[in-house]
Amino acid sequence: MTSYERLRILHRSLLRQPPSEAALRKLLASLPAYLDNIIRIRPALETEIDYGRQQLQRIQRRIAPGQFANTEAIAQGLHEALAPLFGS
């Protein structure tokens, strides 16, 4: 299974069952590597990857260190940031 396929599955599940705070922290830390791998596999998605990276940075800046006020809002933001990769 490729990084793209794994991320697509994760993207689908973000809104159905928002991850725990620990899972969101892990996801936020791993997303840059996922996006790097996807750009190598699917260079035609460069615009979508750039958008996802920009949105990820915005989300990370909004989260106060050590605090996750609303995991559902963060999951929603990540879902929206990744949606262009999957034609959503």
Side-chain angles (χ1 to χ4, degrees):
M1 183 177 297
T2 68
S3 292
Y4 180 83
E5 292 163 333
R6 280 188 211 106
L7 195 55
R8 185 178 191 125
I9 291 167
L10 180 67
H11 175 255
R12 287 182 189 165
S13 70
L14 278 171
L15 297 182
R16 281 189 233 142
Q17 184 175 358
S20 67
E21 180 178 331
L24 276 173
R25 286 187 187 281
K26 185 177 178 181
L27 176 59
L28 286 168
S30 65
L31 270 176
Y34 271 105
L35 296 175
D36 288 345
N37 287 335
I38 292 169
I39 196 87
R40 283 192 280 279
I41 296 168
R42 297 180 181 228
L45 292 174
E46 182 176 3
T47 301
E48 292 83 353
I49 298 261
D50 287 343
Y51 174 79
R53 286 182 181 160
Q54 291 169 9
Q55 295 306 310
L56 177 59
Q57 289 172 353
R58 286 187 183 131
I59 291 167
Q60 289 172 326
R61 283 193 302 265
R62 286 189 306 207
I63 300 170
Q67 294 183 5
F68 268 56
N70 185 340
T71 56
E72 287 183 21
I74 295 166
Q76 176 70 38
L78 287 173
H79 185 272
E80 291 170 7
L82 298 173
L85 288 170
F86 310 111
S88 305

